[in-house]
PDB file of all heavy atoms in Angstrom:
ATOM      1  N   MET A   1     -28.613 -35.073  -0.462  1.00  0.00           N
ATOM      2  CA  MET A   1     -28.291 -34.807  -1.776  1.00  0.00           C
ATOM      3  C   MET A   1     -26.824 -34.354  -1.858  1.00  0.00           C
ATOM      4  O   MET A   1     -26.347 -33.574  -1.034  1.00  0.00           O
ATOM      5  CB  MET A   1     -29.211 -33.730  -2.361  1.00  0.00           C
ATOM      6  CG  MET A   1     -28.682 -32.978  -3.587  1.00  0.00           C
ATOM      7  SD  MET A   1     -30.005 -32.316  -4.581  1.00  0.00           S
ATOM      8  CE  MET A   1     -29.074 -31.956  -6.089  1.00  0.00           C
ATOM      9  N   ILE A   2     -26.100 -34.828  -2.913  1.00  0.00           N
ATOM     10  CA  ILE A   2     -24.695 -34.370  -3.127  1.00  0.00           C
ATOM     11  C   ILE A   2     -24.744 -33.420  -4.329  1.00  0.00           C
ATOM     12  O   ILE A   2     -24.961 -33.804  -5.477  1.00  0.00           O
ATOM     13  CB  ILE A   2     -23.691 -35.583  -3.333  1.00  0.00           C
ATOM     14  CG1 ILE A   2     -23.829 -36.528  -2.162  1.00  0.00           C
ATOM     15  CG2 ILE A   2     -22.351 -35.036  -3.568  1.00  0.00           C
ATOM     16  CD1 ILE A   2     -22.935 -37.783  -2.344  1.00  0.00           C
ATOM     17  N   TYR A   3     -24.469 -32.140  -4.092  1.00  0.00           N
ATOM     18  CA  TYR A   3     -24.431 -31.152  -5.159  1.00  0.00           C
ATOM     19  C   TYR A   3     -23.179 -31.290  -5.975  1.00  0.00           C
ATOM     20  O   TYR A   3     -22.135 -31.580  -5.454  1.00  0.00           O
ATOM     21  CB  TYR A   3     -24.550 -29.767  -4.605  1.00  0.00           C
ATOM     22  CG  TYR A   3     -25.863 -29.456  -3.982  1.00  0.00           C
ATOM     23  CD1 TYR A   3     -26.008 -29.502  -2.573  1.00  0.00           C
ATOM     24  CD2 TYR A   3     -26.982 -29.114  -4.726  1.00  0.00           C
ATOM     25  CE1 TYR A   3     -27.246 -29.300  -1.987  1.00  0.00           C
ATOM     26  CE2 TYR A   3     -28.239 -28.870  -4.172  1.00  0.00           C
ATOM     27  CZ  TYR A   3     -28.329 -28.954  -2.797  1.00  0.00           C
ATOM     28  OH  TYR A   3     -29.582 -28.752  -2.161  1.00  0.00           O
ATOM     29  N   ASP A   4     -23.284 -31.017  -7.216  1.00  0.00           N
ATOM     30  CA  ASP A   4     -22.058 -30.973  -8.092  1.00  0.00           C
ATOM     31  C   ASP A   4     -21.154 -29.851  -7.600  1.00  0.00           C
ATOM     32  O   ASP A   4     -19.926 -29.946  -7.614  1.00  0.00           O
ATOM     33  CB  ASP A   4     -22.362 -30.758  -9.588  1.00  0.00           C
ATOM     34  CG  ASP A   4     -23.083 -31.981 -10.153  1.00  0.00           C
ATOM     35  OD1 ASP A   4     -22.656 -33.112  -9.870  1.00  0.00           O
ATOM     36  OD2 ASP A   4     -24.085 -31.760 -10.886  1.00  0.00           O
ATOM     37  N   LEU A   5     -21.810 -28.728  -7.256  1.00  0.00           N
ATOM     38  CA  LEU A   5     -21.039 -27.495  -6.843  1.00  0.00           C
ATOM     39  C   LEU A   5     -21.783 -26.786  -5.745  1.00  0.00           C
ATOM     40  O   LEU A   5     -23.008 -26.518  -5.876  1.00  0.00           O
ATOM     41  CB  LEU A   5     -20.880 -26.613  -8.103  1.00  0.00           C
ATOM     42  CG  LEU A   5     -20.267 -25.264  -7.897  1.00  0.00           C
ATOM     43  CD1 LEU A   5     -18.779 -25.438  -7.411  1.00  0.00           C
ATOM     44  CD2 LEU A   5     -20.316 -24.393  -9.196  1.00  0.00           C
ATOM     45  N   ILE A   6     -21.041 -26.472  -4.697  1.00  0.00           N
ATOM     46  CA  ILE A   6     -21.642 -25.416  -3.744  1.00  0.00           C
ATOM     47  C   ILE A   6     -20.775 -24.194  -3.874  1.00  0.00           C
ATOM     48  O   ILE A   6     -19.549 -24.247  -3.939  1.00  0.00           O
ATOM     49  CB  ILE A   6     -21.578 -26.007  -2.288  1.00  0.00           C
ATOM     50  CG1 ILE A   6     -22.741 -27.003  -2.182  1.00  0.00           C
ATOM     51  CG2 ILE A   6     -21.759 -24.837  -1.289  1.00  0.00           C
ATOM     52  CD1 ILE A   6     -22.874 -27.557  -0.720  1.00  0.00           C
ATOM     53  N   ILE A   7     -21.479 -23.051  -3.920  1.00  0.00           N
ATOM     54  CA  ILE A   7     -20.777 -21.763  -3.989  1.00  0.00           C
ATOM     55  C   ILE A   7     -21.065 -21.092  -2.639  1.00  0.00           C
ATOM     56  O   ILE A   7     -22.181 -20.900  -2.277  1.00  0.00           O
ATOM     57  CB  ILE A   7     -21.316 -20.885  -5.135  1.00  0.00           C
ATOM     58  CG1 ILE A   7     -21.087 -21.546  -6.479  1.00  0.00           C
ATOM     59  CG2 ILE A   7     -20.710 -19.506  -5.106  1.00  0.00           C
ATOM     60  CD1 ILE A   7     -21.732 -20.828  -7.717  1.00  0.00           C
ATOM     61  N   THR A 253     -14.362 -38.178  -2.376  1.00  0.00           N
ATOM     62  CA  THR A 253     -15.299 -37.723  -3.406  1.00  0.00           C
ATOM     63  C   THR A 253     -16.296 -36.673  -2.944  1.00  0.00           C
ATOM     64  O   THR A 253     -16.868 -35.970  -3.685  1.00  0.00           O
ATOM     65  CB  THR A 253     -16.054 -38.891  -4.017  1.00  0.00           C
ATOM     66  OG1 THR A 253     -16.563 -39.660  -2.908  1.00  0.00           O
ATOM     67  CG2 THR A 253     -15.177 -39.704  -4.912  1.00  0.00           C
ATOM     68  N   VAL A 254     -16.497 -36.654  -1.653  1.00  0.00           N
ATOM     69  CA  VAL A 254     -17.529 -35.765  -1.105  1.00  0.00           C
ATOM     70  C   VAL A 254     -16.951 -34.734  -0.105  1.00  0.00           C
ATOM     71  O   VAL A 254     -16.117 -35.077   0.754  1.00  0.00           O
ATOM     72  CB  VAL A 254     -18.616 -36.587  -0.364  1.00  0.00           C
ATOM     73  CG1 VAL A 254     -19.733 -35.648   0.191  1.00  0.00           C
ATOM     74  CG2 VAL A 254     -19.277 -37.571  -1.278  1.00  0.00           C
ATOM     75  N   ILE A 255     -17.393 -33.468  -0.305  1.00  0.00           N
ATOM     76  CA  ILE A 255     -16.992 -32.413   0.626  1.00  0.00           C
ATOM     77  C   ILE A 255     -18.159 -32.041   1.496  1.00  0.00           C
ATOM     78  O   ILE A 255     -19.302 -31.900   0.937  1.00  0.00           O
ATOM     79  CB  ILE A 255     -16.533 -31.179  -0.146  1.00  0.00           C
ATOM     80  CG1 ILE A 255     -15.392 -31.508  -1.104  1.00  0.00           C
ATOM     81  CG2 ILE A 255     -16.092 -30.094   0.825  1.00  0.00           C
ATOM     82  CD1 ILE A 255     -15.134 -30.393  -2.155  1.00  0.00           C
ATOM     83  N   ARG A 256     -18.007 -32.048   2.805  1.00  0.00           N
ATOM     84  CA  ARG A 256     -19.135 -31.650   3.686  1.00  0.00           C
ATOM     85  C   ARG A 256     -18.932 -30.209   4.115  1.00  0.00           C
ATOM     86  O   ARG A 256     -17.877 -29.783   4.581  1.00  0.00           O
ATOM     87  CB  ARG A 256     -19.154 -32.575   4.896  1.00  0.00           C
ATOM     88  CG  ARG A 256     -19.158 -34.009   4.495  1.00  0.00           C
ATOM     89  CD  ARG A 256     -19.893 -34.919   5.436  1.00  0.00           C
ATOM     90  NE  ARG A 256     -19.771 -36.273   4.836  1.00  0.00           N
ATOM     91  CZ  ARG A 256     -20.629 -36.807   3.978  1.00  0.00           C
ATOM     92  NH1 ARG A 256     -21.640 -36.127   3.583  1.00  0.00           N
ATOM     93  NH2 ARG A 256     -20.422 -38.019   3.452  1.00  0.00           N
ATOM     94  N   VAL A 257     -20.057 -29.441   3.883  1.00  0.00           N
ATOM     95  CA  VAL A 257     -20.008 -28.021   4.193  1.00  0.00           C
ATOM     96  C   VAL A 257     -21.001 -27.730   5.297  1.00  0.00           C
ATOM     97  O   VAL A 257     -22.214 -27.975   5.120  1.00  0.00           O
ATOM     98  CB  VAL A 257     -20.392 -27.193   2.884  1.00  0.00           C
ATOM     99  CG1 VAL A 257     -20.360 -25.712   3.076  1.00  0.00           C
ATOM    100  CG2 VAL A 257     -19.483 -27.580   1.698  1.00  0.00           C
ATOM    101  N   TYR A 264     -24.315 -29.639   4.382  1.00  0.00           N
ATOM    102  CA  TYR A 264     -24.564 -29.849   2.884  1.00  0.00           C
ATOM    103  C   TYR A 264     -23.387 -30.698   2.395  1.00  0.00           C
ATOM    104  O   TYR A 264     -22.305 -30.663   2.899  1.00  0.00           O
ATOM    105  CB  TYR A 264     -24.589 -28.531   2.131  1.00  0.00           C
ATOM    106  CG  TYR A 264     -25.608 -27.518   2.674  1.00  0.00           C
ATOM    107  CD1 TYR A 264     -25.242 -26.739   3.765  1.00  0.00           C
ATOM    108  CD2 TYR A 264     -26.775 -27.320   2.055  1.00  0.00           C
ATOM    109  CE1 TYR A 264     -26.145 -25.795   4.262  1.00  0.00           C
ATOM    110  CE2 TYR A 264     -27.719 -26.382   2.510  1.00  0.00           C
ATOM    111  CZ  TYR A 264     -27.384 -25.660   3.627  1.00  0.00           C
ATOM    112  OH  TYR A 264     -28.258 -24.729   4.061  1.00  0.00           O
ATOM    113  N   SER A 265     -23.619 -31.376   1.228  1.00  0.00           N
ATOM    114  CA  SER A 265     -22.548 -32.203   0.619  1.00  0.00           C
ATOM    115  C   SER A 265     -22.397 -31.803  -0.829  1.00  0.00           C
ATOM    116  O   SER A 265     -23.363 -31.462  -1.525  1.00  0.00           O
ATOM    117  CB  SER A 265     -22.893 -33.694   0.704  1.00  0.00           C
ATOM    118  OG  SER A 265     -23.051 -34.086   2.030  1.00  0.00           O
ATOM    119  N   CYS A 266     -21.162 -31.804  -1.296  1.00  0.00           N
ATOM    120  CA  CYS A 266     -20.923 -31.454  -2.710  1.00  0.00           C
ATOM    121  C   CYS A 266     -19.649 -32.140  -3.205  1.00  0.00           C
ATOM    122  O   CYS A 266     -18.830 -32.649  -2.385  1.00  0.00           O
ATOM    123  CB  CYS A 266     -20.829 -29.914  -2.833  1.00  0.00           C
ATOM    124  SG  CYS A 266     -19.427 -29.219  -1.934  1.00  0.00           S
ATOM    125  N   ARG A 267     -19.454 -32.091  -4.500  1.00  0.00           N
ATOM    126  CA  ARG A 267     -18.237 -32.637  -5.027  1.00  0.00           C
ATOM    127  C   ARG A 267     -17.192 -31.594  -5.296  1.00  0.00           C
ATOM    128  O   ARG A 267     -15.985 -31.810  -5.209  1.00  0.00           O
ATOM    129  CB  ARG A 267     -18.493 -33.343  -6.370  1.00  0.00           C
ATOM    130  CG  ARG A 267     -19.451 -34.554  -6.196  1.00  0.00           C
ATOM    131  CD  ARG A 267     -19.438 -35.498  -7.323  1.00  0.00           C
ATOM    132  NE  ARG A 267     -20.222 -36.637  -6.976  1.00  0.00           N
ATOM    133  CZ  ARG A 267     -21.583 -36.701  -7.002  1.00  0.00           C
ATOM    134  NH1 ARG A 267     -22.256 -35.626  -7.430  1.00  0.00           N
ATOM    135  NH2 ARG A 267     -22.229 -37.828  -6.627  1.00  0.00           N
ATOM    136  N   ARG A 268     -17.674 -30.344  -5.578  1.00  0.00           N
ATOM    137  CA  ARG A 268     -16.727 -29.240  -5.748  1.00  0.00           C
ATOM    138  C   ARG A 268     -17.253 -28.029  -4.963  1.00  0.00           C
ATOM    139  O   ARG A 268     -18.450 -27.896  -4.826  1.00  0.00           O
ATOM    140  CB  ARG A 268     -16.705 -28.829  -7.228  1.00  0.00           C
ATOM    141  CG  ARG A 268     -15.982 -29.798  -8.068  1.00  0.00           C
ATOM    142  CD  ARG A 268     -16.250 -29.665  -9.517  1.00  0.00           C
ATOM    143  NE  ARG A 268     -15.815 -30.933 -10.179  1.00  0.00           N
ATOM    144  CZ  ARG A 268     -16.661 -31.991 -10.248  1.00  0.00           C
ATOM    145  NH1 ARG A 268     -17.844 -31.979  -9.744  1.00  0.00           N
ATOM    146  NH2 ARG A 268     -16.215 -33.077 -10.865  1.00  0.00           N
ATOM    147  N   LEU A 269     -16.318 -27.233  -4.465  1.00  0.00           N
ATOM    148  CA  LEU A 269     -16.642 -26.140  -3.621  1.00  0.00           C
ATOM    149  C   LEU A 269     -15.955 -24.837  -4.097  1.00  0.00           C
ATOM    150  O   LEU A 269     -14.748 -24.829  -4.274  1.00  0.00           O
ATOM    151  CB  LEU A 269     -16.227 -26.512  -2.129  1.00  0.00           C
ATOM    152  CG  LEU A 269     -16.515 -25.396  -1.116  1.00  0.00           C
ATOM    153  CD1 LEU A 269     -18.019 -25.231  -0.910  1.00  0.00           C
ATOM    154  CD2 LEU A 269     -15.815 -25.861   0.224  1.00  0.00           C
ATOM    155  N   LEU A 270     -16.782 -23.830  -4.280  1.00  0.00           N
ATOM    156  CA  LEU A 270     -16.177 -22.517  -4.626  1.00  0.00           C
ATOM    157  C   LEU A 270     -16.409 -21.558  -3.464  1.00  0.00           C
ATOM    158  O   LEU A 270     -17.558 -21.289  -3.076  1.00  0.00           O
ATOM    159  CB  LEU A 270     -16.815 -21.922  -5.875  1.00  0.00           C
ATOM    160  CG  LEU A 270     -16.486 -20.448  -6.151  1.00  0.00           C
ATOM    161  CD1 LEU A 270     -14.991 -20.247  -6.333  1.00  0.00           C
ATOM    162  CD2 LEU A 270     -17.236 -19.991  -7.427  1.00  0.00           C
ATOM    163  N   ARG A 432     -11.077 -29.670  -6.491  1.00  0.00           N
ATOM    164  CA  ARG A 432     -12.192 -29.780  -5.516  1.00  0.00           C
ATOM    165  C   ARG A 432     -12.491 -28.528  -4.917  1.00  0.00           C
ATOM    166  O   ARG A 432     -13.727 -28.157  -4.747  1.00  0.00           O
ATOM    167  CB  ARG A 432     -11.724 -30.835  -4.429  1.00  0.00           C
ATOM    168  CG  ARG A 432     -11.462 -32.191  -4.941  1.00  0.00           C
ATOM    169  CD  ARG A 432     -11.129 -33.116  -3.894  1.00  0.00           C
ATOM    170  NE  ARG A 432     -12.307 -33.543  -3.131  1.00  0.00           N
ATOM    171  CZ  ARG A 432     -12.300 -34.046  -1.912  1.00  0.00           C
ATOM    172  NH1 ARG A 432     -11.131 -34.272  -1.309  1.00  0.00           N
ATOM    173  NH2 ARG A 432     -13.431 -34.411  -1.309  1.00  0.00           N
TER     174      ARG A 432
END
Side-chain angles (χ1 to χ4, degrees):
M1 160 154 195
I2 302 176
Y3 293 98
D4 291 317
L5 173 65
I6 285 184
I7 298 174
T253 50
V254 179
I255 303 166
R256 307 211 179 272
V257 181
Y264 305 81
S265 300
C266 62
R267 295 198 174 80
R268 288 163 199 81
L269 178 65
L270 168 59
R432 300 183 75 197

